[in-house]
Amino acid sequence: FRVTHADETETSPKLASSLFCNMASSQGVKRKDLQGTPAAPEKKAKSAAVMARDKEMAALAREYIEQYAAGKAVEDKPFVGAQPLLLKKPQIATIEETERYTAVACRTLEKLIEASPGVHLRVGDDAKQSKEARALLEACCDHDIDKDNAPLLVSVARDAMHTIPLTEFPPSAVTGKRLLIYIGTPSRYLSMCIKSQRGRFDKAYEEDRLVILCRGVCMLPLGSQEQNIFGVDEEAVLKTICRSLKAKGTVCWGHGPNTKAKLLTAMYGYPEHLALPPPLNYAGFSGDGMHTLDYLVDYIKFLNKVQMARPQEAIKNWYDTGLLVSVLTGSCAAAGVSVLTDSDGLSILRDASIGHIISKLNQMITVEPFSTTRGVYNFFIGDGACRLNGGVELTMHLIENYKAKSMTTLFIFNNEKWAIEDNLVAGTFEEHHLYNKGFYELLQEHDNVVLCANDGELRETMALLSQRVDKYMKGEMPPSLNIVVIRG
């Protein structure tokens, strides 16, 4: 890669907007395109459509910051119902205790379902492999239904949808005043990232009509408020829920007509092999109406289509904790595109674990059977979290002796500042500035590193990566490990 210098600059907005609205114009190094021609700098002023899109993304980022920083006041009551149980030492329920706790949960749920005028069961990622959950999903009625008014509904939660290839999400029913039963592991941060369960849990909790079955714990209305029952047999409780729903009446599909077969085939079936989608092509495109992150959404959508065409191949993405990465996942959700991750990827987002994907990257490249399996893997992380966890150093080390069978790319957002991790506000902006511009400029001298200083270079890179994925799928390109730095 030949290095030349950009000469364009741009005034940055303040606070949340400044974290990414100027990604397309930061001063930095240029790289050569696939044919060896230096990428043309983008010097023209932004159009009204682009500025409008920038404002939308700035609002999304501001929402993330406000929700991340917001706390919840502890209620000053003698007893506040369902709360986390803090243990000083491990506590494992005995068989007898598990049977007793499970019986209490099952009896309570039977009465709740029978007494409730409506019930909405949502199957999360943790439960999608359950035989009981799958049987209920496959048996529910999806013909001639009104999903918003049917008393009994079953639907797939959004976290599960983000683990399968989808380029358009099916509509989801409104829970309304129904008893809400969620089977899976809820998380406020994950919900924020993928725009899922927005306010659904809080409202149901306040009205004592929320049930959550999660990893041996059942939260449910018991008496006058929500309570936690620890040490239950999840499968037995889920079996009771499904049996009670079927006994109550016809259980309807919660995503509208003509959507069930496609969604369940993606989850459980064997999709028909389709033709590979054409690689991304931005030739002649000026970028009008597009934000920097929209090109990444295009690439992720392309990967979803590749996964649909090659269901036997492993194509997965992992996303770290951070503002820009969260806005990216939110942009995918808003566009109806699956982030195409797996259960580990969801767990990383649930835990809001900074830098966790670096460990995952090392696992996929060095540990069998992952390292010996063909696949396309992508990792997205901010420069602060990446630097803190030695992400670049590890990746460069792995590149030098790369033997894995996968095509792997590490995407690093280089905006030179900590953001959501430190609840960035005006008074601490300078304190959290990262002086790493020269570090990434040095790295781009390596053949496996690309630095994108503006949208034109990012478009070119996304098109190039999609071409490489296409050739890799056809057996025309060897595995590789690359770094893409997105400057801004």
Side-chain angles (χ1 to χ4, degrees), residues 206-439:
E206 291 170 359
E207 297 175 358
D208 293 332
R209 53 178 180 81
L210 175 64
V211 175
I212 296 178
L213 182 60
C214 168
R215 300 182 184 278
V217 181
C218 184
M219 185 175 80
L220 74 175
L222 192 61
S224 60
Q225 57 192 344
E226 297 276 347
Q227 301 279 9
N228 286 333
I229 301 178
F230 294 89
V232 301
D233 181 339
E234 292 178 62
E235 197 65 23
V237 175
L238 180 55
K239 187 175 183 178
T240 297
I241 293 172
C242 294
R243 184 180 65 245
S244 299
L245 284 174
K246 292 176 182 177
K248 188 176 179 67
T250 301
V251 181
C252 297
W253 175 248
H255 298 292
N258 305 317
T259 60
K260 177 180 171 182
K262 181 179 179 180
L263 187 57
L264 294 189
T265 297
M267 290 176 62
Y268 302 118
Y270 300 91
E272 180 183 358
H273 289 221
L274 306 174
L276 282 169
L280 298 176
N281 184 358
Y282 296 107
F285 180 63
S286 65
D288 194 32
M290 294 279 282
H291 185 273
T292 302
L293 296 181
D294 291 332
Y295 299 109
L296 294 171
V297 174
D298 282 352
Y299 179 62
I300 294 169
K301 184 175 183 178
F302 166 77
L303 293 175
N304 274 270
K305 293 179 179 179
V306 174
Q307 182 71 95
M308 293 176 186
R310 296 291 186 271
Q312 77 280 7
E313 302 278 6
I315 302 176
K316 294 297 176 184
N317 306 315
W318 290 273
Y319 304 84
D320 201 67
T321 298
L323 180 61
L324 291 177
V325 182
S326 299
V327 176
L328 172 60
T329 57
S331 299
C332 287
V337 177
S338 168
V339 300
L340 202 59
T341 189
D342 62 1
S343 296
D344 281 353
L346 294 177
S347 295
I348 290 170
L349 291 176
R350 288 192 190 104
D351 295 341
S353 180
I354 299 174
H356 197 147
I357 69 162
I358 299 302
S359 299
K360 185 65 180 179
L361 183 148
N362 188 51
Q363 178 193 50
M364 300 305 293
I365 293 175
T366 63
V367 178
E368 294 186 7
F370 310 112
S371 62
T372 56
T373 303
R374 279 176 51 85
V376 177
Y377 306 134
N378 298 280
F379 299 82
F380 299 86
I381 192 170
D383 51 357
C386 188
R387 193 79 174 109
L388 183 65
N389 290 273
V392 170
E393 293 83 351
L394 171 66
T395 305
M396 297 300 287
H397 170 72
L398 294 173
I399 287 174
E400 292 307 305
N401 191 30
Y402 192 71
K403 296 180 180 179
K405 302 297 184 183
S406 60
M407 176 171 284
T408 302
T409 305
L410 174 65
F411 292 87
I412 304 172
F413 292 105
N414 177 214
N415 64 348
E416 301 182 64
K417 55 181 73 73
W418 285 99
I420 200 170
E421 296 87 347
D422 292 301
N423 300 330
L424 188 65
V425 294
T428 59
F429 181 86
E430 290 300 326
E431 179 183 344
H432 296 90
H433 186 77
L434 299 173
Y435 299 92
N436 55 17
K437 180 179 178 181
F439 174 70

Side-chain angles (χ1 to χ4, degrees), residues 93-123:
T94 64
I95 295 177
E96 291 76 15
E97 289 173 332
T98 296
E99 290 176 349
R100 184 166 67 253
Y101 301 153
T102 301
V104 172
C106 289
R107 286 197 300 269
T108 304
L109 286 168
E110 287 174 344
K111 294 178 182 178
L112 281 171
I113 292 172
E114 182 180 358
S116 299
V119 182
H120 188 181
L121 174 65
R122 296 178 64 84
V123 178

Side-chain angles (χ1 to χ4, degrees), residues 414-476:
N414 177 214
N415 64 348
E416 301 182 64
K417 55 181 73 73
W418 285 99
I420 200 170
E421 296 87 347
D422 292 301
N423 300 330
L424 188 65
V425 294
T428 59
F429 181 86
E430 290 300 326
E431 179 183 344
H432 296 90
H433 186 77
L434 299 173
Y435 299 92
N436 55 17
K437 180 179 178 181
F439 174 70
Y440 288 106
E441 290 178 357
L442 175 64
L443 286 177
Q444 79 147 0
E445 292 291 335
H446 195 283
D447 289 345
N448 292 56
V449 179
V450 172
L451 192 151
C452 302
N454 56 49
D455 279 4
E457 294 179 356
L458 184 58
R459 281 198 298 270
E460 181 184 287
T461 301
M462 294 300 98
L464 173 59
L465 282 177
S466 66
Q467 292 171 25
R468 291 187 172 186
V469 170
D470 181 72
K471 291 180 179 179
Y472 174 78
M473 286 292 156
K474 295 174 180 177
E476 300 172 0

Side-chain angles (χ1 to χ4, degrees), residues 58-87:
L60 184 58
R62 192 174 295 109
E63 178 188 350
Y64 280 124
I65 290 178
E66 291 171 353
Q67 292 186 20
Y68 188 86
K72 183 175 177 63
V74 177
E75 299 180 46
D76 185 16
K77 296 180 180 179
F79 184 70
V80 293
Q83 294 292 323
L85 180 62
L86 304 178
L87 302 176

Side-chain angles (χ1 to χ4, degrees), residues 28 45 57 78 81 126 128 133 140 149 178 213 223 235 256 271 336 388 431 485:
M57 302 299 279
D126 293 353
K128 68 182 182 183
C140 67
N149 295 314
R178 299 180 183 89
L213 182 60
E235 197 65 23
L388 183 65
E431 179 183 344
V485 180

